[in-house]
């Protein structure tokens, strides 16, 4: 498994989320981390980004339906 050149802090900044929110997602996805500077495996980054984008899509869809 390769490593992405992204840390948890990088992902939080890119998607305008708090570190705590990313930590919570990591816990849900059972992704091991130490702190915000932890660099993640490529597959873990993909899983996190997928969750972030799907939740944004869900909330945007809900907003347009209501």
């Amino acid at each position: 498994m390769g490593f992405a050149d992204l840390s948890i802090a990088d992902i939080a900044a890119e998607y305008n989320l708090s570190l705590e929110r990313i930590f919570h997602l990591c816990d849900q996805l059972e992704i091991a981390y130490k702190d915000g500077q932890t660099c993640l495996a490529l597959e873990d980054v993909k899983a996190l980004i997928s969750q972030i984008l799907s939740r944004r899509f869900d909330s945007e869809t809900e907003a347009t339906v209501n």
Side-chain angles (χ1 to χ4, degrees):
M1 184 183 321
F3 276 83
D5 193 23
L6 289 173
S7 69
I8 289 174
D10 293 333
I11 295 169
E14 180 69 28
Y15 291 95
N16 197 28
L17 297 169
S18 68
L19 282 176
E20 290 75 24
R21 183 71 183 127
I22 301 297
F23 293 152
H24 179 73
L25 288 172
C26 286
D27 292 339
Q28 286 183 325
L29 295 168
E30 298 181 355
I31 296 171
Y33 63 91
K34 212 174 209 185
D35 57 30
Q37 298 308 312
T38 301
C39 286
L40 300 173
L42 183 58
E43 293 302 316
D44 291 341
V45 170
K46 288 179 184 179
L48 273 174
I49 291 172
S50 176
Q51 281 293 312
I52 292 166
L53 294 178
S54 72
R55 289 168 191 237
R56 283 193 174 167
F57 177 77
D58 289 345
S59 64
E60 288 173 2
T61 301
E62 185 177 311
T64 59
V65 170
N66 293 325

